[in-house]
Amino acid sequence: MEIKEMIQQGETKYVEFKSWVKVNKKELMSILINEAVGFSNTDGGVILVGVEDDGEVTGCDNYDVQTIIESIYDKTVPKIFTDIEVVELADKEVLKITVQKSPEIVATSKGVVYKRLGKNTKPFYPAEYSSNKITGFKGDYSSKIIGPAAKEDIDFTEVEHLKLKIQSRDKDSTLYQSDNITFLKDLRLIDVVEDEIQLTVAGLLFVGTKEAIVKYLPQAEIIILTYNEGQMEYYKRLELRIPLIQAVDRIHQIFEDQNGLENIQMGLFKLEVNDYPINVFQEALLNAISHRDYENTSSIIVKFYPNEIIIENPGAFPTGVDSKNIITHPSSPRNKLIAETLQKLKYVQRSGQGVDIIFKDMLSLGKSAPEYSLYLDAVSLTLRSGLEDKEFLEFITQEQEKHGEFSVAEICILKYVKSNKTITLSKAGDVAQITSQSAISVLNRLCQKNNILQREKRNKYMFTHRVYESFNGNIEYAKDKDFDEIQANVMILDYLSENEYMTRQEVERLCGFSSATSKRILKSLREQKKIVLEGKSKASKYRLNR
C-alpha cells in the first residue's frame, strides 16, 4: 500500500502515526520501541514518524536512521529487526518504520509486553500468550507443536491414504515404504520427544482425526457455498472440518461437476475450453490453504456462482506483496510446512504461490484476468468463466503451436497491446510486474517472434502487421497499418542502400509483415521504379534501381 493511501485511511491495526516535532526525542524513542513490540506480537505493521494523529504531515528533521534502528534492536527481547525508509511527502520527510510479525513473544528490555488492539497498543499479559499452548519451529505456524495433541489424535487410515498418494504419484520416492511413524516424522508432521508423539499444526491438518481438528483448530474449516443465477443467497452450504487432502479432493469433485466446456472452432479443428482451467482452480485453492492465517478465527470460503468462483481467505498478503507485484514476488507461503507437504504429495509442482500460473492460463484462454481484492486481514480472489476475448485465445494458441509456450510476462504484455494498440517500456514493466531491464528482454523476445515491433517513437511497441491481420483488421488497426507501410518503404530502401540484395522473407522479418503485405509493398516499390526484381520463384531477390 502506498504511504499516501495509508495516511488517507488513518491509523489502523497495521498503521500508527507518530509526531516528530511535538514530542521529546528521548520520550519518542521509548514510544517507538513500545509500538514496535506491539506490532511484533500481533500481525506486524508500519509506524509513520512525521505524521500527526489527524493525518497532517509535519515531517522529521535532524534524525539518524541508524540510531533509531539500533535503539529498537538494543531495547527489545528477542531483538526486533526493523526496516526504515525515508519518504518525501509534501516537501517533508517521513520515516516509514516497517515491523514484521514475530514468531515469538517480544518484550521491551524492561520486561514489558505489548500487543496491537485495533489502532491502539495495549499491554499483553502472559495468560493471553498463544505460545503457551503451541510452540515449535520459528517463523512457520504450521510447523509448531500442538502441546496437548498426541498419538490418539492421529487418523492412521488417513496416513495410509497419504502413503498411497505418494506411491502412485512419485515413482522416485521411498517415503511410502517406511512405517507410519517414520513416515510422519520424515514429513515433519509429528515430533517424538521422550517417546511421546506430538503433532505439528500441519500434522493435525493432514492426518488428525476429525474430532481432534475440531478440538484444537476449529477455525481450520473450508466452507463451500453454491449460488443459483441471479440469487444473492446460497442454496447449498457444505462445511469441511476434515483432513486437508480429503477436503481438497471433495472440493475438486464439486468443481469438476460444475465446470462447463465450450468448443471453439479453429480452422479444421476444435479447441475445448473449460469455464475454468483445472490447474488454475487447484492452484488457487491450494494457495489459499498454504497462505491462510490459522490463528484467525475465520474460515476459507469458496463461493460457486454460475459465472464466477470467489475464494475468500483469512489472512492478509505477506509483507511486501500487493496487487502490483503479486505475479513476480518471490514465494513466501505463510505456512511453509503445509506448502512443502502438498508439494511432496504432488498436489503442486513447487512450494509457492502459483499466482503466475493463474494469470498466465486465464489470460491465454481468452478469460479476464484474475481479480485479487486485498483487505486488512483477508484476501479475496475472483475467477470469471466467460470467454472475454476469443481472438486473443486463437492468436495465443496458434502462436504457441509455432514457437512454444509464452511466459506469463509475454502473455500480460500481448494482452495489454491487444486492448490498447501500443505499449511503452515503462508500461510493459508495470503490466508484467517486472523490472525495466527484464521488460526490455521480454519485448526483444516478442520482436524476434514477429509478434510486436518498435514504433516510430523510441520504446513504444505495437503488433506487427501479421498479428494485426489475424485480428480481422479492424479500422483503427488499418489506419496504423497504412502509416507503418510508409515507414516500411523507408526501412526497405535504407536496408538496400547498405546491402546489395533483399528477399521477401527478409522484408517480413524486418517489418513484421505477413507474406501478402510484403508482396504488396514490394510490388508498389517496383511500380515506382525504386527497386528491381532479379531471379524467379525461390531465387527471386530485390535490389535498388540505380
Side-chain angles (χ1 to χ4, degrees):
M1 185 186 296
E2 296 291 335
I3 190 169
K4 288 183 180 179
E5 188 177 350
M6 289 183 182
I7 294 174
Q8 289 173 355
Q9 291 185 3
E11 292 180 322
T12 68
K13 179 182 177 182
Y14 303 92
V15 179
E16 176 71 22
F17 300 160
K18 288 300 171 193
S19 173
W20 176 269
V21 297
K22 295 181 180 180
V23 184
N24 175 276
K25 297 304 175 285
K26 184 176 181 180
E27 179 183 353
L28 175 61
M29 190 55 60
S30 177
I31 292 172
L32 294 180
I33 292 166
N34 295 346
E35 297 291 354
V37 168
F39 280 127
S40 291
N41 288 329
T42 315
D43 292 315
V46 171
I47 307 169
L48 298 180
V49 184
V51 180
E52 306 301 320
D53 289 342
D54 62 0
E56 180 187 2
V57 178
T58 50
C60 305
D61 57 12
N62 299 322
Y63 56 81
D64 186 339
V65 167
Q66 187 62 31
T67 297
I68 298 173
I69 292 174
E70 291 180 357
S71 294
I72 295 174
Y73 177 87
D74 291 337
K75 296 183 179 180
T76 53
V77 182
K79 305 300 184 184
I80 295 177
F81 293 86
T82 55
D83 179 64
I84 300 182
E85 179 183 0
V86 180
V87 181
E88 187 166 335
L89 201 62
D91 296 327
K92 296 182 175 63
E93 292 182 334
V94 173
L95 304 184
K96 180 184 177 184
I97 306 176
T98 301
V99 184
Q100 303 290 342
K101 177 181 178 179
S102 172
E104 302 175 60
I105 299 299
V106 179
T108 68
S109 56
K110 296 179 180 180
V112 183
V113 182
Y114 295 94
K115 67 177 179 180
R116 195 75 176 167
L117 185 64
K119 62 181 182 179
N120 296 315
T121 297
K122 298 287 187 180
F124 196 13
Y125 299 106
E128 300 174 285
Y129 297 173
S130 61
S131 61
N132 288 343
K133 299 177 183 178
I134 301 178
T135 59
F137 298 99
K138 184 175 181 179
D140 176 14
Y141 186 81
S142 67
S143 67
K144 293 185 177 182
I145 298 296
I146 301 177
K151 183 176 181 179
E152 57 267 23
D153 294 309
I154 298 174
D155 181 348
F156 283 98
T157 301
E158 191 62 20
V159 176
E160 293 292 343
H161 183 211
L162 297 192
K163 292 172 77 172
L164 288 173
K165 290 277 188 185
I166 292 178
Q167 182 180 6
S168 63
R169 295 179 174 204
D170 189 354
K171 302 302 181 184
D172 297 325
S173 176
T174 59
L175 277 172
Y176 66 90
Q177 297 175 355
S178 305
D179 64 84
N180 288 339
I181 298 302
T182 302
F183 173 75
L184 294 175
K185 284 180 65 178
D186 289 343
L187 288 177
R188 293 173 44 217
L189 299 181
I190 65 168
D191 193 14
V192 180
V193 180
E194 297 180 354
D195 296 327
E196 292 291 327
I197 292 176
Q198 297 179 316
L199 273 78
T200 60
V201 171
L204 178 71
L205 294 174
F206 278 102
V207 297
T209 64
K210 296 176 185 178
E211 295 76 16
I213 293 172
V214 171
K215 180 179 179 181
Y216 299 118
L217 281 175
Q219 68 271 32
E221 175 184 50
I222 304 177
I223 299 174
I224 313 300
L225 305 176
T226 308
Y227 296 78
N228 277 327
E229 183 73 45
Q231 298 297 313
M232 298 297 293
E233 296 293 330
Y234 57 83
Y235 76 89
K236 190 182 294 183
R237 177 186 176 100
L238 177 63
E239 299 177 0
L240 299 176
R241 285 180 182 169
I242 57 178
L244 280 179
I245 296 305
Q246 286 188 36
V248 169
D249 290 348
R250 182 82 176 272
I251 296 168
H252 191 265
Q253 186 60 56
I254 295 172
F255 165 76
E256 285 194 324
D257 290 343
Q258 300 190 41
N259 194 22
L261 182 69
E262 182 177 356
N263 286 303
I264 306 297
Q265 190 70 44
M266 294 185 58
L268 299 178
F269 76 98
K270 288 184 178 180
L271 178 67
E272 293 185 346
V273 180
N274 286 111
D275 287 345
Y276 309 94
I278 294 173
N279 62 319
V280 164
F281 178 75
Q282 180 166 301
E283 286 286 346
L285 177 62
L286 297 179
N287 189 35
I289 289 171
S290 299
H291 285 270
R292 75 150 288 175
D293 181 359
Y294 284 95
E295 294 180 281
N296 191 310
T297 57
S298 300
S299 306
I300 295 175
I301 300 177
V302 182
K303 298 179 178 179
F304 287 101
Y305 291 91
N307 300 308
E308 63 184 26
I309 297 174
I310 299 177
I311 300 177
E312 297 175 354
N313 197 35
F317 275 158
T319 302
V321 180
D322 55 37
S323 57
K324 295 181 179 179
N325 65 6
I326 187 173
I327 300 176
T328 55
H329 194 280
S331 171
S332 54
R334 179 180 272 110
N335 302 288
K336 187 177 180 182
L337 182 54
I338 290 177
E340 289 175 349
T341 305
L342 288 169
Q343 184 180 23
K344 289 173 182 176
L345 292 168
K346 299 300 179 182
Y347 273 82
V348 293
Q349 295 301 311
R350 56 190 174 150
S351 177
Q353 286 179 286
V355 175
D356 54 346
I357 293 174
I358 296 173
F359 269 83
K360 178 177 179 292
D361 286 5
M362 289 295 284
L363 291 175
S364 62
L365 287 177
K367 311 285 185 180
S368 60
E371 181 181 320
Y372 283 90
S373 299
L374 314 183
Y375 306 95
L376 290 178
D377 57 356
V379 176
S380 174
L381 168 62
T382 300
L383 303 172
R384 295 184 173 85
S385 63
L387 183 57
E388 181 184 76
D389 194 339
K390 180 181 175 183
E391 281 187 340
F392 192 69
L393 161 64
E394 294 176 347
F395 163 68
I396 293 296
T397 302
Q398 292 166 353
E399 289 298 301
Q400 291 188 148
E401 285 181 353
K402 297 175 184 175
H403 305 293
E405 290 285 317
F406 285 114
S407 67
V408 62
E410 290 171 331
I411 291 285
C412 290
I413 289 172
L414 291 171
K415 178 64 175 177
Y416 183 90
V417 178
K418 173 69 164 57
S419 301
N420 298 276
K421 296 199 302 178
T422 62
I423 193 168
T424 62
L425 173 60
S426 173
K427 178 56 70 173
D430 292 342
V431 166
Q433 299 184 7
I434 54 180
T435 64
S436 294
Q437 192 60 44
S438 295
I440 292 172
S441 178
V442 174
L443 290 167
N444 286 340
R445 287 203 305 271
L446 291 173
C447 286
Q448 290 167 6
K449 295 177 183 178
N450 282 334
N451 295 135
I452 62 172
L453 55 81
Q454 195 168 19
R455 281 292 304 266
E456 73 282 2
K457 294 182 179 178
R458 184 172 177 79
N459 291 333
K460 192 173 185 181
Y461 299 80
M462 64 180 290
F463 281 139
T464 62
H465 286 247
R466 178 182 65 82
V467 175
Y468 277 154
E469 289 172 353
S470 72
F471 293 142
N472 298 325
N474 75 37
I475 295 174
E476 290 184 343
Y477 286 165
K479 291 178 181 177
D480 277 333
K481 292 195 321 188
D482 290 342
F483 176 82
D484 281 339
E485 286 183 13
I486 296 172
Q487 295 291 96
N489 290 340
V490 176
M491 294 167 66
I492 292 169
L493 296 175
D494 284 346
Y495 181 92
L496 288 174
S497 68
E498 298 179 6
N499 299 274
E500 188 175 359
Y501 293 105
M502 186 177 198
T503 66
R504 179 171 55 78
Q505 288 76 19
E506 287 172 332
V507 172
E508 291 177 23
R509 289 195 295 271
L510 177 66
C511 303
F513 292 153
S514 66
S515 175
T517 302
S518 298
K519 287 179 181 178
R520 186 176 70 253
I521 290 177
L522 290 168
K523 180 181 178 182
S524 174
L525 288 172
R526 287 174 60 203
E527 290 172 348
Q528 297 173 49
K529 300 188 183 303
K530 293 183 178 180
I531 62 173
V532 175
L533 171 64
E534 293 186 359
K536 294 182 178 181
S537 190
K538 293 183 179 180
S540 62
K541 52 188 178 181
Y542 301 84
R543 64 172 176 79
L544 283 177
N545 186 10
R546 302 182 185 280

